[in-house]
Amino acid sequence: MLRQRDAGLYLVGVVVSGFGTSALWLASGVWVKDLTGSDPLAALCLLAMWAPTLAGPLLGTLADRVRRRPLLIGTNLLMAALLLTLVTVDAPGDLWLLFAVLLAYGAAGVVHDAAESALVAAAVGPALLGDFNGLRMTATEGTKLVAPLAGAGLYAAYGGTGVALLDALTFVLAAALYAALRVHDSPPPPRGTVRRARTVEGVRHLWAHPGLRPLVLAGGATMLCAGVNGALVYAVVEGLGHAPAYAGVLAAVQGAGSVAAGLASGPALRRLGERRFAAAGIALTAVAVALRAVPSDPVAWVSGAAIGAGLPCVLIAALTAVQRATPDALLGRTAATASTLMYAPNVFGLALGAALVALVDHRPVLVVLGVVLLVVAVQPALRAARTDSRSSSEANPA
């Protein structure tokens, strides 16, 4: 698939923009902490970038109302311009501008992902969508292994302004890569319905489709549990007898697992199908999360790598299914709706996990999470078995 010119340009764009995003994600919190000394305000940086995900169905509609390649180019150039305004942030009173840019950053990311999902479906073709989505996951997770460290070093040398300028440069480079695409960008359909009806069309298609709804809901349930698990990481580190910085080691191991899962997802999807692939990934995550209750470094490394490998499976499977089963005219808003349903629960899971770790021991919580995830894995596995049984009956009628 890498021999396809447009797919290669897309993936390079993912690496470039992902590097800048990961660097800013870390640096923005440190920037706020340095200016105010406040941990809650620093945590708000991540919330500001995540919050627009809740408006996914509305923001995704934009990707279906205009040509998508110009939208990708314009979105990247707009964010580059907004990031340049952060050079004026040097006092606590300027933080409103930083938070406003981070909110715009999150909203632009939702629009960007919706437009990219729709355009990729036209450029790559149904047979290779799983491969592309897996390689995209590999590229995204790969940048997370090095970009935060690079961002921290750049922040230490030049402050938050230096990181903002780096991120602006990555947006300009990504815009140039998207401008070089040769993919056919079909014109948007005529505006024959009111805005609210256009927004609801994607939700209605996703909810009514018997194959998409179960996969997306399984993804949301998995990400809810993943959020709780993520909030317990420092309790796990403390149980291992290490300093909080050891969480970075576990994060790197998990990232390596996600890179491996992305590389293997294309062949695995072709062999197992979307539902079995999702079920296998959720089951692997379930076992790995429960094993984190064991206070052992080797077990923690193995379980971390297994979580990294298992967690992306349902996300890749669901996105690939959405791209394959959705008409082009609805694909932007449907993909954005699916992303909201899958990723928004992660925020609630983080909040729930933070509350639980303050009240109870983390080890029983991890075991319960593992059991819940196994229950979630059963649903797509059963649907896959029913589909196979139905197909067999149709192929061999009585």
Side-chain angles (χ1 to χ4, degrees), residues 4-11 123 132 180-184:
Q4 295 191 15
R5 179 180 179 277
D6 286 333
L9 288 173
Y10 271 122
L11 291 172
F132 178 86
L181 292 173
R182 296 174 182 168
V183 62
H184 173 67

Side-chain angles (χ1 to χ4, degrees), residues 100-116:
V101 170
L102 291 177
L103 276 171
Y105 202 114
V110 174
V111 174
H112 180 281
D113 288 349
E116 183 187 74

